[in-house]
Amino acid sequence: MIRVGKVRAGYGDGPDILQGIDLAASGGEIVTILGPNGCGKSTLLKCIAGFVRPRGGTVEMEGRNVGAVPVHDRIRNHGMGFVPQTDNVFSTLTVADNILLGARHMAPAARAARYEEVMSQYPSLASKQERRASALSGGERQILSLARALISSPRVLLLDEPSAGLSPAMMHEVFAAIADIRDRTGMCIVMVEQNAFEALSVADRAYVLSLGKVAIEGRADDLLADPAMRHLYLGGEPPPAAEPTPQPAAIS
Ligand SMILES: Nc1ncnc2c1ncn2[C@@H]1O[C@H](COP(=O)(O)OP(=O)(O)OP(=O)(O)O)[C@@H](O)[C@H]1O
Ligand SMILES: [Mg+2]
C-alpha cells in the first residue's frame, strides 16, 4: 500500500532531517512512527502525504510512484486521508461543515450519502452536527478530524499524533476509534505518536526514528517486550508487577 524507499528530506537549504528512510505499510495494519521530539516523524508523514518533497528516494502508494503527485491529487485519486498534528479542525465552523470540507471534490449525492454513513459511525458527533467545533472536547475534536478524513473513503490514512493533548480516557477512546477503522475497513493506517506504550498497544508494527534514520523496527508486541526498546525509547521500565502480599508469620 505504502512503500517509502531511501527517502531523504529537509527544509530550505538546511541539512537532511530524514537521512534515508525505508518504511512499508499494508492494508489492514496500523504502523506507528515513534521517536523523540524533533527527530523527523512529522516530516516523514508529510513526505508520504506530499506536503514535503523528498530530496531523494521514493514514495509509492498502491504500487505507483507518487513522488511528483501533489497533495490534493493524492487525496482524490490515490485514496489518501491526512490528519495533521495541529490545527486539524476549524473552530468557527460547525461539526457538519468541518466534515463536509473533506468531501468538497465529491458529487453532491455521493457526499450526502457518505456524510450520513460517517455520522452513523460516530454518534457523539451526530448529536452535535450544528455545534461549532470550538464547543467540542479535545477528544471530540480528534474524532471530528478523523471523520473529515474518512468521508472521502480513503484507503490510506495518515495521522499525526492523534492522541496529542488528550486525557488517558480520551486517548483510549481515540485509539479505539482508530483500531475500529482498521478492523472494519482494512485501511492502511500510518500513525505518528508520542505516547509510545499506548501506540504500540494498538499498532501492528512500529518504526522508531533517531537522528534521521530508522533505529528500530518490528512488530509492536515484540517492541513492547524488548528491554532495550523500553530503556531507550519508552521512558524506562514499565511499572513493576505488584509485590506479592506479605504472608503473616507463622505462629509457632
Ligand atoms: N517548516 C519547517 N521549516 C524548517 N524546519 C522545520 C520545519 N518543520 C520542521 N522543521 C525541523 O525539522 C526537524 C524535524 O521536525 P518534525 O516536525 O518532523 O519533528 P517531529 O519528530 O514530528 O517532532 P515532534 O515530536 O515535536 O512533533 C526539527 O528540527 C524541526 O525544527
Ligand atoms: Mg511532529
Side-chain angles (χ1 to χ4, degrees), residues 95-248:
V95 166
D97 286 342
N98 264 283
I99 294 173
L100 288 167
L101 274 178
R104 274 174 304 175
H105 59 288
M106 294 168 70
R111 183 167 54 213
R114 270 303 291 158
Y115 181 81
E116 292 307 323
E117 278 173 27
V118 168
M119 275 298 153
S120 69
Q121 297 294 337
Y122 299 107
S124 64
L125 296 180
S127 59
K128 296 179 175 157
Q129 293 176 59
E130 296 312 319
R131 291 240 195 118
R132 282 174 194 246
S134 55
L136 299 182
S137 73
E140 287 167 342
R141 288 167 75 101
Q142 289 301 75
I143 300 286
L144 174 57
S145 64
L146 270 181
R148 187 180 51 220
L150 291 175
I151 193 169
S152 62
S153 305
R155 300 181 292 279
V156 164
L157 185 60
L158 308 175
L159 307 171
D160 199 346
E161 297 208 28
S163 77
L166 299 185
S167 68
M170 279 187 185
M171 175 161 64
H172 284 120
E173 198 174 314
V174 169
F175 281 147
I178 295 166
D180 179 61
I181 294 167
R182 169 196 56 196
D183 299 340
R184 229 171 357 93
T185 67
M187 216 176 276
C188 168
I189 301 176
V190 178
M191 172 175 90
V192 167
E193 260 301 330
Q194 291 275 349
N195 292 303
F197 271 120
E198 292 77 6
L200 288 172
S201 304
V202 73
D204 299 280
R205 292 190 303 110
Y207 293 81
V208 183
L209 303 191
S210 174
L211 302 174
K213 299 206 161 88
V214 174
I216 300 181
E217 67 172 283
R219 285 168 43 88
D221 44 8
D222 290 343
L223 297 193
L224 271 175
D226 179 348
M229 174 76 190
R230 285 210 298 263
H231 180 66
L232 287 171
Y233 297 105
L234 297 178
E237 297 296 309
E243 294 278 319
T245 312
Q247 298 300 312

